[in-house]
Each structure stands twice: as C-alpha cells, then as structure tokens.
Amino acid sequence: MSQFDVVVIGAGPGGYIAAIRAAQLGFKTACIDAGVNKAGDAPALGGTCLNVGCIPSKALLQSSEHFHAAQHDFTEHGISVDGLKFDAAKMVERKDAIVTKLTGGVKFLFQKNKVTSLFGKGSFKGKNGDLWQIEVDNNGEKSVVEAKQVIVATGSVPRPLPLIDIDNVNVLDNEGALNLTEVPKKLGVIGSGVIGLEMGSVWKRVGAEVTILEAMPIFLAAADQQIAKEALKVFTKEQGLDIKLGVKLNEIKNVEGGVSVSYEAAGEQKTETFDKLIISIGRIPNTEGLNAEAVGLEKDERGFIKVDGECRTNLPNVWAIGDVVRGPMLAHKASDEGVAVAERIAGQKPHLDFNTIPFVIYTDPEIAWVGKTEEQLKAEGVEYKKGTSNFGANGRALALGKAKGLIKVLADAKTDRVLGIHMIGPVVSELVAEGVMSMEFSASSEDIARIVHAHPTLSEVMHEAALAVDKRALHG
Ligand code: FAD
Ligand code: NAI
C-alpha cells in the first residue's frame, strides 16, 4: 500500500496548489481528483476553476467583448466592418482549447514537482495507527493510500433550484451556460450574482435578449452600493440587460422549444418563455462521496466542512480548504489557503488576511473591490473619509474608449489608514491589486497619493481618488 506524507483530495485551485506547495516543502505528496474533461473520456485536473469556472467564463467574455466592440465601437475609430458574423461554436472551441492547455499545465506541474496524481473518487476509509486511509475509486477499481496528513479540497457544486432540474439542454448550470453553440434568442437567468452577470453579459453581447430574475430587492448586495448602483444603471440602461429585482419564482417548466417561468415582480404576475434558462443562485459545498460521517468529520449547518481560522478540521491532521469551507468561494482564496496549510504542516506560521481578499466581477465595465464597503463601515460605526475619482476624464480610458466608472478610496477618519477600495471601470480587475497591496502594508490614503503613477494610465484614477480623500484631487 502506498504511503504519503500528504494526500490532497481534489485538484482544483485549492487542492492542486496545496499539493505543489507540500511537494516543494519536501513532503511525499499525492493528489486525488475525479474530474474529467468535457468529452468525459479523460481525467482533467484544475477543478471547477479551470474546467467550468473562472477560465472558460473569461475566455467567452473576451470573445463576446471583441464581437460587441466590432459591432458597436469600431466605427468611432474610423474602422468599418462589412459582413461581420458571429460563430458561437467557434467561440466555445477556442474556450475549450484554453481549458485543455491549462488543465494539461496542472498535469505538467504535478510531474515537475513530483506530486503523484491519482485519478478517482477519494473517500475516508479509516485509520491505520496515526495514518489516514483514503480509498481511491477509479470507476469501480479500488485502491487505498495512507497519509500522515490529509487536505480536503473537494470544492463546490451549483445550488439546485427546487422548482426545476438542471438538464443542461434548456435548463443550464454554469457548465451548460459555457457550452451553448448557438445564441439563444431569449435567455433567462435566475440570480443576478457573479455568474448571472458574467454569463448574461456574454450572451447579450452576441445577440441574445437577456432577462435576469433576482430574488433580492437590492442589486449586488455584497458590493459597495455606490458602485452597485452605477453598475445597475450601465447594465440595464446602456447595455439592455433586463434585470428584475425582488422576484418571487412560482413555477418553472419545460415547454416545447424552451422553458416557461412564472414569477411575481413589482406586484405583477408574469409568465415568460425562454429558449434557454441559466440557474445561477449560488454554490454549495461538495462533500458527496467523501464518507465524512463515517470518520466523524464535522460539517456546519450549511454543509461546509467545519474548520478553524487555520483550516484545521475536528479530526487530527485533517485539513480543509477552498469552496468546501467557510469564506468567499474564490479561486485565489482557495489557493492561498492551500499554500498556508502546506506551510503549516511544515511547521511554518503563514497568515491569510480575509479582509484583503479581492473580489472581481468581469463584466464591462469590470467591478472590483477589497476591504470594507461604506455600508459595512457605517454598520460598524467606523468613522471614515472618502475620495472618489471618475474614469470619464482619464486620458488612457478615453483613448481605450472605456471612460466609464469610478474608483472610491475609503480611509479611517483619524488615522487615514485605507479601509476599502471600490472600483467600476476598465480593467479594474488589475487595478485592484494596488488596493490589496496598500491594505496589506497598512497604507494610508496619503501613501497612495504620494506614489508616482505612470501617465497616461488607468492607475491615475486610483491616484486621484486617494488625493480626493484629502480634498486635493488635481483633476477633480
Ligand atoms: P474546485 O475548483 O471545485 O475543485 C474541486 C475538485 O475536487 C474538482 O476537481 C472535483 O472533481 C474534485 N473532487 C470533489 N470531490 C472529490 C472526491 N471525493 N475525490 C476526488 N476528487 C474530488 N473564482 C474566482 O476567483 N475568479 C473567477 O473569475 C471565478 N469565476 C467563476 C466562474 C464560474 C462559472 C464558476 C462556477 C466559478 C467561478 N469562480 C471564480 C469560483 C472558483 O471556480 C472556485 O472558487 C474555485 O474553483 C474553488 O476551488 P476549490 O479547489 O476549492 O474547488
Ligand atoms: P452568487 O452568490 O454570486 O449569486 C447568486 C444570486 O442568486 C444572488 O444574488 C441571490 O440573491 C440569487 N438567488 C438565490 N436564490 C434565488 C432564487 N430562488 N430566485 C432568484 N434569485 C435567487 O452565486 P453565483 O452567481 O451562482 O456564483 C457562485 C459562486 O461562484 C459565487 O459565490 C462566486 O464567488 C463564484 N464566482 C466568482 C466569479 C468571480 O470571481 N468573478 C465569477 C463567477 C462565480
């Protein structure tokens, strides 16, 4: 029977990074993963993120943005395109090629770092002295490995909607939404969260009529509401996404040629038929088939594996990271927990600050933030000052043809320490890194204001927002 120092269950961005870091630290490491490729005929490492999440969604967002730009934005640059066409199947093919390249990249990294990659479903079998026994089920062919330390990184799956089953024919989860090879004429989306907005944007840009039905009465409740209001205005009034808030779903059924949804919104009953319907109402932790109960691995009331601040479970030498534990369901959070756990096993003392984990929504304009929102600061009774600056007068944004949005810096009223940075605008997914760095280094808004920012760049908007905290914006 093979014995390892560390066995990781799951090779998503949490698990594969944990395995690589553990191997780097000198541990004999194996990573068990049950993921298969789109065709279902070969193992595919990388989890949700690489196969059906972060990467494929960004590939489609980019393709659809190009098409939209060619259709609507090129003319102002003096470029006209005759006979412009869109081929959804080709877009999906390109996305698949990127996924294949990256999932193959994880396999290469495992080989390079001498991580043993085991294909199959991993489950707790029991103990042999201090060693955990983990069964690997490769389509009925079972084997057992033993490990001193186990890291559970089994991720998450889409939250089901009790009103209808997902078949990925007309009723789609993220996987189906990423694989449409024809543009639906009418697309319905349940949930105006991150997936709903990103996938709704993709299919809207290439010609679908998109209606998003959201249960909450406010838009993007987790985001700073100044940014959320700006986003809602742009998405609905300028881009034509039909976003209905405060929706109560009554009935969803498959009908000929589509899906019929009956709902109540703004006091009115409505029934609409969509060609395709995406269900994106959040994700739930995936512990199915782990045999957690048999070994007494504790979960919380929402099904997440219970961990302490350092990702220790209630079982000795069993850790859990990523989407299967509390905290934001983000790839970079999963990876950083993976690194931290491997280093803790090695006796190091890494620290992961949840307050400086950045959030990004890859719409156009993009939305990004780090730290506290104004609403959170008010609720916590923290006195703060703020500075905002718009992209509207930024030279680089104008040259790009993307001069929309703003950056807001929130700083402690007394100490000037940066408490939160919120953005909507072009490529703010990249600009937010400066905010993360500032907060990690406990910067004041004056620190950012005194840093030289290159001209002409989008980062000058961050500079101006920081200057504005002290009411000394130069272009405001
Ligand atoms: P996962 O990536 O879910 O990986 C878990 C792995 O474990 C899978 O390979 C699974 O097959 C395997 N597994 C499960 N059970 C077992 C078992 N018993 N035995 C063996 N293997 C098992 N996050 C971002 O930060 N940025 C984004 O842009 C972004 N975009 C997203 C877009 C979409 C459409 C979706 C759905 C998610 C997106 N996310 C994004 C979220 C991100 O994908 C997750 O936060 C991240 O993948 C979590 O990583 P993980 O390692 O915890 O789990
Ligand atoms: P989400 O939590 O972002 O949004 C779900 C939305 O559905 C919420 O607004 C919620 O109020 C709504 N909802 C719930 N039940 C509903 C109902 N019955 N009717 C109508 N609306 C309902 O979840 P989403 O979009 O499914 O994404 C899952 C996870 O994946 C997120 O937590 C996110 O962290 C991650 N993700 C991250 C991305 C990024 O970082 N750019 C991109 C996509 C996903």
Side-chain angles (χ1 to χ4, degrees):
M1 188 179 306
S2 306
Q3 285 187 354
F4 294 92
D5 297 317
V6 179
V7 163
V8 183
I9 309 178
Y16 88 74
I17 290 291
I20 290 173
R21 186 71 187 119
Q24 280 178 351
L25 289 162
F27 295 115
K28 188 181 174 201
T29 305
C31 185
I32 306 167
D33 190 79
V36 289
N37 64 3
K38 185 170 147 185
D41 58 8
L45 302 170
T48 303
C49 174
L50 267 54
N51 289 283
V52 290
C54 326
I55 300 302
S57 56
K58 266 79 259 178
L60 299 194
L61 279 155
Q62 191 58 58
S63 299
S64 60
E65 201 173 322
H66 282 323
F67 179 70
H68 189 270
Q71 216 176 21
H72 299 281
D73 305 336
F74 278 12
T75 45
E76 72 178 49
H77 296 268
I79 305 167
S80 53
V81 185
D82 285 332
L84 185 70
K85 283 197 195 111
F86 176 72
D87 181 343
K90 181 83 192 154
M91 170 175 82
V92 169
E93 204 179 294
R94 172 183 179 271
K95 176 269 291 181
D96 290 341
I98 295 170
V99 168
T100 304
K101 188 175 167 66
L102 289 181
T103 54
V106 178
K107 189 173 163 190
F108 163 78
L109 289 173
F110 276 179
Q111 283 160 357
K112 185 176 166 218
N113 288 282
K114 301 193 173 49
V115 172
T116 303
S117 185
L118 301 170
F119 175 71
K121 199 123 190 141
S123 61
F124 284 94
K125 193 172 163 63
K127 283 194 98 170
N128 170 19
D130 282 347
L131 298 178
W132 285 102
Q133 295 188 310
I134 307 294
E135 184 177 271
V136 187
D137 183 347
N138 176 354
N139 293 315
E141 208 177 288
K142 294 183 182 173
S143 57
V144 177
V145 293
E146 291 183 338
K148 287 184 200 145
Q149 307 273 347
V150 179
I151 305 174
V152 181
T154 47
S156 64
V157 290
R159 178 192 301 285
L161 184 66
L163 291 174
I164 186 116
D165 288 339
I166 285 165
D167 57 11
N168 275 331
V169 179
N170 286 342
V171 183
L172 316 170
D173 59 14
N174 54 299
E175 212 169 324
L178 290 162
N179 284 317
L180 292 175
T181 49
E182 275 177 34
V183 180
K185 194 166 171 312
K186 278 189 82 177
L187 174 69
V189 180
I190 310 289
S192 70
V194 202
I195 295 181
L197 290 174
E198 291 187 357
M199 296 319 299
S201 297
V202 166
W203 296 107
K204 172 75 194 162
R205 287 172 194 164
V206 296
E209 197 183 302
V210 179
T211 304
I212 304 183
L213 304 175
E214 165 61 44
M216 295 276 282
I218 53 169
F219 183 61
L220 284 179
D224 185 280
Q225 284 304 295
Q226 183 179 359
I227 304 291
K229 282 190 185 119
E230 179 68 20
L232 186 61
K233 192 177 75 193
V234 177
F235 298 158
T236 53
K237 297 218 163 69
E238 293 177 25
Q239 298 179 357
L241 284 173
D242 183 6
I243 302 175
K244 297 189 196 304
L245 301 175
V247 168
K248 185 179 174 303
L249 298 170
N250 293 325
E251 190 185 38
I252 303 182
K253 57 182 183 196
N254 282 298
V255 291
E256 197 168 331
V259 190
S260 151
V261 181
S262 301
Y263 62 91
E264 192 182 318
E268 265 184 64
Q269 303 285 343
K270 263 193 118 172
T271 299
E272 281 190 80
T273 300
F274 300 104
D275 300 303
K276 303 281 175 188
L277 181 72
I278 299 174
I279 312 274
S280 48
I281 55 166
R283 294 177 64 85
I284 52 172
N286 175 26
T287 52
E288 192 238 308
L290 257 185
N291 208 20
E293 292 76 14
V295 287
L297 180 62
E298 270 179 25
K299 294 184 216 167
D300 70 15
E301 60 292 344
R302 292 159 65 211
F304 290 95
I305 294 178
K306 246 188 190 172
V307 286
D308 66 9
E310 299 195 325
C311 294
R312 279 186 191 80
T313 69
N314 65 311
L315 301 177
N317 302 332
V318 177
W319 312 72
I321 58 171
D323 280 12
V324 79
V325 302
R326 83 296 170 255
M329 287 184 164
L330 295 172
H332 39 286
K333 176 263 192 185
S335 297
D336 280 22
E337 281 185 334
V339 168
V341 164
E343 292 178 351
R344 278 178 200 125
I345 291 172
Q348 299 180 10
K349 304 233 172 296
H351 175 66
L352 175 58
D353 184 354
F354 271 56
N355 193 40
T356 55
I357 293 175
F359 291 76
V360 179
I361 307 176
Y362 294 82
T363 43
D364 181 22
E366 293 179 345
I367 298 167
W369 74 90
V370 58
K372 304 274 176 155
T373 62
E374 273 200 84
E375 291 72 30
Q376 285 172 319
L377 293 176
K378 279 182 190 145
E380 290 169 17
V382 178
E383 282 184 44
Y384 64 92
K385 32 185 194 168
K386 70 173 164 181
T388 57
S389 180
N390 295 320
F391 283 97
N394 174 268
R396 188 74 198 280
L398 283 162
L400 286 169
K402 288 185 175 292
K404 270 200 190 88
L406 65 122
I407 297 183
K408 172 159 82 174
V409 174
L410 302 172
D412 188 281
K414 290 194 193 80
T415 65
D416 193 34
R417 184 176 172 162
V418 176
L419 301 174
I421 299 187
H422 303 271
M423 316 174 166
I424 176 168
V427 211
V428 295
S429 51
E430 302 293 338
L431 296 185
V432 75
E434 183 178 357
V436 176
M437 179 93 94
S438 309
M439 289 189 62
E440 273 290 336
F441 289 161
S442 307
S444 62
S445 76
E446 188 185 348
D447 289 329
I448 302 177
R450 290 193 182 277
I451 291 171
V452 182
H453 289 73
H455 174 76
T457 62
L458 300 170
S459 72
E460 288 172 290
V461 179
M462 171 78 109
H463 188 219
E464 285 285 325
L467 283 164
V469 172
D470 206 22
K471 302 201 173 21
R472 55 193 188 96
L474 296 165
H475 297 84

